[in-house]
Amino acid sequence: MRWSGRPGVALFLGVVLSFSGTPGSSSLDIPLEVLSHMNIEQLPTITAQSPNTMIAFPFDESYSMRCAAKGNPEPEFRWTKNGQEFDPDQDPRLLPPEDGSGTFIIPNNGNLSEFQGIYRCYASNKLGTAISEEIEFVVPHVPKFPKEKIDPIEVEEGQPVTLKCNPPKGIPPLQIYWMTIGLQHIEQDERVSIGLNGNLYFANALERDSRRDYCCFASFSRIRTIVQKTAMSLVVRNTGLKTDSAPGSGFANSILKSKPSLLSPPGVQTYTHLVKGQALMLECIAAGYPTPKVEWIRVGQGLPDRAIVENHGKVLHIPNVQQEDEGQYKCKAKNGHGEASHFFHVTVEEPPQWTTRPESQISMIGSDVLIKCVATGNPKPTISWRVNGLALNEVPAANRKVFDNKIILERANSSDSAVYQCEASNKHGTILANANIMIMNLPPVIVTEDSLQYSAVQGKTIVLHCKTFSSPPSVITWSKEDSADSVTGPRFFLHDNGSLEISAVEEGDMGEYSCIAKNREGSRAITAFLDIKEPTKIVDPPMDLRILVGTTAQFVCQAEFDRSFNHEMETYWLKDSVVIALNDTENMGYLVDDGILQIANVSYSDQGRYSCVVRSPVDQDIASAHLIVTDVPDAPEDLMLSELSGKSVKLKWIPGDDHNSSTTAFVIEFEESQREPGIWREAQRVPGSHTSALLKLHGHADYRFRVSGVNEVGQGRPSEPSESYKTPARAPDKNPENIKIEGHLPHEMDINWEPLAPIEHNGPGLEYKVSYRQQGTGDEDWQEHVVKRHSFIVKGTPTFVPYEIKIQARNHKGWAPEPRVIVGYSGEDFPSAAPDDVAVEVVNNTLVKVSWARVHKDKLHGRLGGYRVNWWRLRSLLASKKSHGEKHALTFPGDRSHALVPGLRPFSEYSLIVMAFNGRGNGPGSHPVTFRTPEGVPDQISVLRTMDIKKHSVSLSWSPPVEPNGVLTGYLLQYQLINDTEEVGPLVSVNVSDPDASKWLLPDLEAMSKYKFYLRACTRLGCGPATSEECATTPEATPTGTSSRNFSQTSTRSPPSTTVARKANTTLSSLVPAIMNVSSSVSNNFANISWIPGGERQDSELYVAYMNNREGNWKISEALNTSKTFHVIKGLEPGTEYTVRLMTKNWVDNSSIFEDVIKTRGEGLASIHGGISTQGWFIGLMCAVALLTLILLIACFVNRNKGGKYSVKEKEDLHPDVESQGMNDDTFCEYRTPLAHEQRTDRQRDP
């Protein structure tokens, strides 16, 4: 492969350094991998030490003086105390360490003061010595106030006074309290305050300040100690001067006025020095009467933004003071008689800090070594050097040159290896750093493991490591695929630590790489293998959700990745950048399954940013979405009433949280506790941007209000009710509405209105004044009546005349506004005249147009509602006898003179009348008008049956249509072949010209074929709708006289089909079992189908199928043998019509042997019987019937025995006559429900 870009890259790499340990040490760690290859000696390095200051608190059991170090060989430890050698092993009171370090333990045995001092630890081996920073062990004493007698302090009223505390020294922080002996705090204000020094200052003493138990308490929290000073007595004498200017008694003490002076600090200026980061506290406490006020300024510029004024303006506090806070500050105390001021010169200093600390290093023999040490601070720190813990002058070296902040070792050799210490000090502290300087030569040691496998994603960055340790530094080169040339190009970068970084990785970068490290002591090499993977990419990221609280949220996260990582992929979820720990009890609502995060029962705390992280061993992808939880608004708060006027009130509120769905409206409700306590009604709605509303109020009502917010989610909970407001009584604001004027009787007028709601009464004693007068009577006085109900009847009115009416409300406070006048009519009476000139125009055989002359308005006696047309059929024109048929009526509203009457029967004679009607009712009818409708086409034929089905012919029988609608001219018979295929045969037509015909024989049909027949009745105007029937011809002739009902009666609706095995040359006698006298009997929930086997019994299977005629679904029984003579159908519905068929499996085309329509008995009848059966008379009747039946059976038995062994009827049953078979079927002595079409035919044939 060829590489474009710059020439080969080579790197001169120094040793790899790792810095750790204490703040004062800089360690040089030779990697363990190097030590495993060779034994390299190392200088000692301090790894742990105690803090610079250790306080021996009395409640601690012991104190550990820690010192730990590492090196090769293992270092040995020694200590100094206050600059003198100190051997912990020589003091039996001290406890040795358990870890082999230089640590020792000081037990708290009551003699701690002996161990107080400044300690330092030394760790040494044959190569050198490292030292720790100084450790000060402080043994605090218990602070105490000195025992003293304090004389009472006496001052005149108005004079300043200071009670001094002078607290003892102790471990800070120190807190001062001034209290009484009873532990009551002395109250502080602008006049009385506690200073930063602990003193209690009075700017001016008052007589009430006199007391004998002023006590100062000093609290040292770190040592858990509070000490108390001897109580002090303060006596304030009044001046004895009187003045008569004071209100009340006319006399009061007069305190002398005085201009301000400063009680603290003394003098005119103070110089303050503090360390950077500390808190600056400047204090000015002033004396004077009246009490002065203190102001703070910074000379030349404003106060820092962090400045805080405390203690009633007397303290200026600047926390964490910085260099820029330096400057001049001024306090000024003023009252009406003058002012006093003080200047503060603030200087911010800082302890030493490293700018460049000395670093540990390995250098090759013969090189020059630079050790640099630079520190800053205020004042400027001084730098001092040590080597192996000794001053430089104690360890002279010819090749060592020392400067202020650096040391140079020229042409160093291995004997110059040592630990150098640099110490920087000023008055605020000391810092120390150790630097391990090793002079040695080493061949390269590559620490990174050989033959490592790296994986990278296309387009990403990968780093191949080659960590090397050597002296002098090694030259590092990388090559690919056994090539001697170094890898080059803009995408390749060689780091100082020897690692090769490849950016924008491509598929061609895959392969084996070699890292070679060389110096003058030798060389080393390792190999690395780079594999390129497909990137991880989230293809179906989670989407932002806006969801209702309490529901379930679902985030989807599906990713594509390199299939070689199938078992190493990891998917996890973050919420607001924090990993969701699914096994945490706090996250029980989270469920993750196949990249889907479900959050059940979402709450407000679930709202936030959710991130899906899909991670492979070499890369990851992340996608985020926000979950916004919505809910109805929280209840508003802090309802307040204002602008109370009796007629209105202003309601204000603070909206509740809208839960991420802006409030669109506020609903204001009210409760009127006098009339409807506990019932809240809506008063007003205002936009969601409003926080107040002006509400109109009724009088004499006790109101409370509440408010609820509405957003797109719904209406939130209402607020707590407001305070109640009771309005005074006043006259009604409105009059009744929805006034209705009705006339139920001719000479009365009913006035009704909607009464005022109780809250609209506005006061007690509500009444209504009803005023009325006939319209058009000029200035006639109003008739007035005062009532308490909401209706009134005016009697003795003329029929249907207009009246002016008004209704006005009043209560004990007065009348409502003047009401508006409405017009109504008195009561109506029936119309007194019928329409004249009624005429009928025949439009067609079912529609006529009726016209009439309008009734005069004087005869209406009310408001015209319209006209009503009544008509009835007198007869068919085929019949001579007339009868009054069913009456029909149509109403036509409004003022009109004609109408259309549809739905008439053709070829019929009708009679018709017309009448007017109003609100009272119908008027008299007109004279009847008789008319006739023209001829039409017949109705459908009611019964069509197939009979005498043979091989090539079928006989049809039918009954005429119920309504021929004219003179029958004949019938149109059509039929076609409809075998069980999608194709049908041609439609053949036969004209039956005899209108009295009821049978027809169709010859020349195909054998064993299924046909469908259509029959229409015809008049001169055409033929009516068809009635259809289906049947199948037989393979051979059917015995003469056999009823088709027993073998081939079919319907257009068939039971479920069965598989038919057709065989050649099969005859009917071999297919159909000899079955005779099929009948059915029914109960309320079952039916019995029975039959008599023929003389030639054959073993064949039968099936019983039945269908609920309302539902249309067939059910079929298990196979039945013909040797069985009956089958019971169970589970039928009472009072329901069923179609029943008896079928054989071997019968072609599923034609039925028997078909019948049955109807089960109704439950009502059964229940009636059940009720009767419990009556005594019914039981007696049944017993009598049973006795008579028994007597009759005995008589029949005797008569039979007289006639011989067989009766004639039995002989006929045993030897049936073929010619009489049809009659026997119809006269068999068992109950049979006739077919539905047979019932209709019988009714039609009755005379």
Side-chain angles (χ1 to χ4, degrees), residues 769-848:
K769 182 175 70 173
V770 181
S771 305
Y772 59 91
R773 67 183 180 188
Q774 193 169 339
Q775 191 180 38
T777 57
D779 297 331
E780 180 182 343
D781 292 338
W782 292 87
Q783 298 292 321
E784 297 180 345
H785 298 272
V786 177
V787 296
K788 293 186 177 180
R789 60 185 182 276
H790 54 277
S791 64
F792 183 75
I793 300 176
V794 181
K795 295 182 180 294
T797 63
T799 301
F800 198 64
V801 295
Y803 276 83
E804 294 179 338
I805 301 151
K806 59 182 181 179
I807 303 175
Q808 188 175 19
R810 76 170 182 184
N811 61 17
H812 292 343
K813 289 293 183 178
W815 292 95
E818 182 66 21
R820 66 184 180 90
V821 177
I822 66 170
V823 176
Y825 284 80
S826 58
E828 298 177 274
D829 203 351
F830 296 106
S832 59
D836 293 328
D837 302 331
V838 178
V840 176
E841 177 187 349
V842 177
V843 178
N844 57 38
N845 54 22
T846 61
L847 177 68
V848 296

Side-chain angles (χ1 to χ4, degrees), residues 675 698-699 731-734 755-763 766 811:
R675 300 173 181 84
H698 295 286
D733 296 322
K734 60 183 290 188
L756 296 183
I759 197 172
E760 296 174 334
H761 292 186
N762 281 1
L766 183 73
N811 61 17

Side-chain angles (χ1 to χ4, degrees), residues 1125-1137:
T1125 60
F1126 68 92
H1127 176 72
V1128 178
I1129 305 173
K1130 299 180 180 179
L1132 304 182
E1133 297 181 8
T1136 304
E1137 188 176 83

